[in-house]
């Protein structure tokens, strides 16, 4: 139920400044700030104006006050609302950590930015009579609605539990060690956990150096806790065990319950009922060569309408997952719990069972499959003129890989692509040329940060790290999918159908200022005051293209960006420079897309399987859950890459490598190896006999006496000192001599003095994947 918004008590406002003949009433900055703190879920500009009964010129004055508060860093924009920087959102995932003196539950945010200056806040959980399911307790993870405390002497935050989230709190993952004295111990993967003792009778066939999952069986007042081995993951010397560490550490559900598997196995192929027959439309799939599921297909043809000369019709068909996943079913509940598929170099943890993802919903070649399709008409200038959605039965006419399709366009056809080159592939590329004109006119953010891919041997060992070529075939599919996502968002907004948008906010004012000061050291200006657009960043990136600063500037611009998320409130997508954007094209691997499919089915009366009223009411909670799941997956994927590279390099301690400084902190430097891309750490205590100044603006460490140091983006030579595969940690020694850094570093107000050795961390390690933004 929506909460009633009330302005601060004791204030009388004139009904209208025009009637009273006086200057329009305006609340003070402190009143506005207080209202934003007390109403985090109702703090948009309109809400504030309504709460204070502001009309006409008073609303203009309010806009000026809010702009001043933002310029001073006292408020920040989140979706369509304003919030105090560092405050919690209105809905969040919490971990219950203990109880207060009265027995009430105390919690902390399950996620808190690693680069945030403040510690995560404490949240006091309110008792609720309407709580569904088991009562949460210490150690549980919950989804909760957050309320900011109105009383300065009381708690800063209270919360009401919406639902308890499945959370593994008893299982421990560790390495089984056999000591010289005959004892068996568990060395936990998480360093914060204490060692455990294992009775030889509880080994369950595990061997020394196996990675195992254990359950604590007894905790005594003295000595180590006892545990029994419940699962053997495999030898810790095997790379295949390393992704399981991340799966366990980040609590990623990876085993489907029997009820979910049973429901998937009972599913029958969808029929043509409620569908248009598009089996003769020559749609094709274009995917990575090793793809096991195919959830999107494309087709294009020139528009024959005389009113649209040079225009094209682009069609995108997406697997109709909603036909098989019923809201509230076991499959649906498990998909929401997972939120998305997670991709590791050696395995995939899917959102849906294989029967659904790799079979019934995979758009297999020459096999009838249900789909949701959008037919989009573009003018010769790349502007979309119209679009329509259709629920169809289709038949993929060809399964192609990106290199295969690209080779055909480049003149090297094979048995599969030669017959369809003129009829299917060339029209696709001609349509892409039209869509690209629209993209170029739109000017989305164009960062030059190629992604590395780890290739494994058949035995699961790291073979090499490559940068796959960025083909026009990739760009074609990407742009077709973007336009389909836009069409979905536009249709649902026009129908006033609630949905989950994919939103990406502009950089915060604080991050803009840090970037602005950094660019000033390179004699590059970034306008202040005016609303930033992606093309302003593109002009900066173009200016440094080909220079020594190219990598550095791309990295700093990336770090200035906000994090994309899912939200039922739309603010547009800054990076793509789009006003309306939703995820529609990957319902096999993203729950957000499944919600959008259901919304389209309901809004356009495309048959059963549409979104329910209950789902519409729960959209804020669903968006919070899947945003958390997405960040969890990204962190797990990064950590696994770190562990794989550390495992691969464990036998090369003492070897020298070339790398690039990828992070600068108070404690030292992170260096990404040029060959592998993985980060290692150089403690500040090992850089030399000097005092170092850390300058956040210049992303540099500088010797106080010499004025020489190191800066983000520098290419350096390092020696590998230590590698810990289970921790995913590398420690380096700097071999490159320091150089002169920007002269302003020693006088800048954010520069901080650190004596040699003052910032040692235990073991001198830090995981690259935990460095903040990802």
């Amino acid at each position: 139920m929506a909460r009633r918004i009330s302005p601060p008590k004791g204030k009388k406002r004139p009904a209208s400044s025009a009637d009273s003949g006086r200057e329009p009433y305006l609340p003070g900055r402190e009143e506005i700030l207080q209202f934003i703190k007390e109403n985090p879920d109702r703090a948009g500009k309109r809400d504030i104006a309504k709460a204070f009964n502001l009309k006409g010129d008073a609303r203009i004055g309010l806009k000026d006050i809010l702009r001043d508060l933002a310029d001073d860093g006292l408020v920040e924009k989140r979706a369509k609302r304003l919030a105090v920087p560092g405050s919690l959102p209105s809905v969040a995932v919490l971990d219950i950590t203990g109880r207060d003196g009265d027995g009430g539950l105390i919690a902390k945010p399950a996620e808190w930015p690693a680069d945030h200056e403040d510690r995560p806040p404490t949240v006091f959980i309110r008792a609720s009579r309407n709580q569904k399911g088991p009562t949460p307790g210490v150690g549980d993870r919950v989804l909760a609605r957050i309320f900011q405390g109105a009383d300065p002497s009381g708690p800063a935050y209270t919360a009401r539990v919406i639902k308890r989230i499945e959370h593994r709190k008893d299982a421990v993952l560790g390495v089984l060690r056999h000591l010289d004295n005959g004892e068996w111990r568990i060395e936990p993967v998480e360093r914060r956990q204490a060692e455990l003792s294992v009775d030889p009778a509880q080994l369950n066939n595990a061997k020394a150096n196996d990675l195992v999952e254990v359950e604590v069986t007894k905790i005594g007042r003295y000595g180590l806790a006892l545990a029994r081995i419940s699962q053997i993951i495999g030898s810790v010397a095997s790379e295949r065990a390393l992704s399981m560490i991340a799966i366990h550490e980040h609590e990623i559900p990876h085993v489907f319950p029997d009820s979910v598997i049973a429901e998937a196995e009972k599913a029958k192929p969808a029929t043509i009922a409620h569908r248009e027959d598009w089996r003769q439309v020559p749609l094709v799939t274009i995917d990575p060569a090793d793809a096991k599921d195919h959830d999107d297909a494309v087709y294009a043809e020139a528009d024959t309408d005389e009113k649209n000369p040079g225009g094209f019709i682009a069609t995108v068909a997406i697997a109709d997952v909603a036909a098989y996943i019923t809201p509230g079913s076991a499959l649906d509940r498990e998909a929401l719990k997972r939120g998305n598929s997670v991709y590791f170099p050696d395995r995939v943890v899917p959102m849906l069972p294989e029967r659904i993802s790799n079979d019934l919903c995979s758009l297999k070649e020459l096999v009838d499959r249900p789909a949701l399709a959008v037919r989009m008409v573009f003018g010769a200038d790349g502007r979309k003129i119209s679009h329509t959605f259709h629920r169809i039965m289709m038949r993929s006419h060809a399964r192609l890989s990106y290199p295969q399709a690209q080779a055909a366009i480049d003149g090297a056809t094979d048995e599969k692509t030669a017959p369809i080159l003129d009829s299917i592939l060339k029209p696709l590329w001609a349509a892409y040329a039209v869509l690209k004109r629209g993209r170029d006119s739109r000017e989305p953010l164009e960062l030059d940060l190629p992604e590395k891919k780890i290739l494994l041997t058949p035995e699961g060992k790291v073979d090499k790290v490559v940068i796959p070529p960025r083909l026009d075939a990739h760009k074609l599919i990407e742009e077709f999918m973007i336009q389909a996502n836009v069409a979905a968002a536009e249709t649902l907004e026009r129908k006033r159908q609630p949905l989950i948008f994919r939103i990406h906010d502009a950089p915060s004012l604080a991050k803009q200022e840090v970037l602005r000061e950094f660019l000033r050291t390179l004699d590059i200006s970034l306008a202040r005051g005016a609303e930033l657009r992606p093309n302003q960043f593109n002009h900066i990136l173009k200016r440094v293209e080909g220079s020594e600063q190219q990598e550095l500037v791309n990295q700093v611009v990336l770090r200035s960006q906000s994090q994309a998320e899912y939200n039922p409130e739309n603010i547009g997508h800054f990076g793509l420079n789009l006003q309306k954007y939703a995820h529609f094209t990957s319902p096999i691997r993203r729950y957000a897309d499944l919600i959008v499919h259901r919304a389209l089915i309901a809004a356009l009366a495309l048959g059963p399987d549409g979104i329910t009223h209950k789902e519409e009411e729960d959209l804020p909670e669903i968006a919070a859950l899947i945003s958390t799941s997405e960040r969890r997956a990204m962190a797990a994927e990064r950590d696994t890459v770190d562990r794989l590279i550390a495992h691969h390099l464990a036998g090369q301690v003492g070897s020298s490598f070339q790398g690039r400084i990828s992070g600068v902190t108070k404690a030292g430097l992170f260096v990404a190896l040029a060959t592998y891309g993985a980060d290692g750490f150089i403690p500040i205590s090992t850089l030399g006999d000097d005092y170092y100044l850390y300058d956040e603006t210049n992303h540099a460490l500088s010797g106080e006496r010499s004025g020489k140091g190191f800066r983000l983006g520098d290419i350096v030579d390092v020696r590998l000192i230590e590698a810990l595969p289970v921790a995913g940690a590398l420690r380096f020694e700097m071999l490159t001599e320091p150089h002169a850094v920007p002269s302003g570093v020693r006088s800048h107000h954010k520069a901080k003095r650190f004596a040699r050795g003052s910032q040692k961390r235990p073991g001198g390690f830090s995981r690259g994947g935990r460095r903040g933004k990802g």
Side-chain angles (χ1 to χ4, degrees), residues 180 246 386 453 521 527 747:
D180 293 339
S386 64
K453 182 177 181 179
T521 69
S747 61

Side-chain angles (χ1 to χ4, degrees), residues 50 80 98 104 158 226 272 370 400 446 531 534 543 554 558 580 592 652 677 691 711:
K50 184 177 180 181
K80 293 182 178 179
T158 59
L226 294 178
I272 202 168
L400 306 174
E446 301 282 6
E531 187 174 336
R543 181 170 170 178
N554 271 269
L558 173 65
K580 299 177 179 65
Q652 300 186 48
Y691 290 95
R711 193 180 193 191

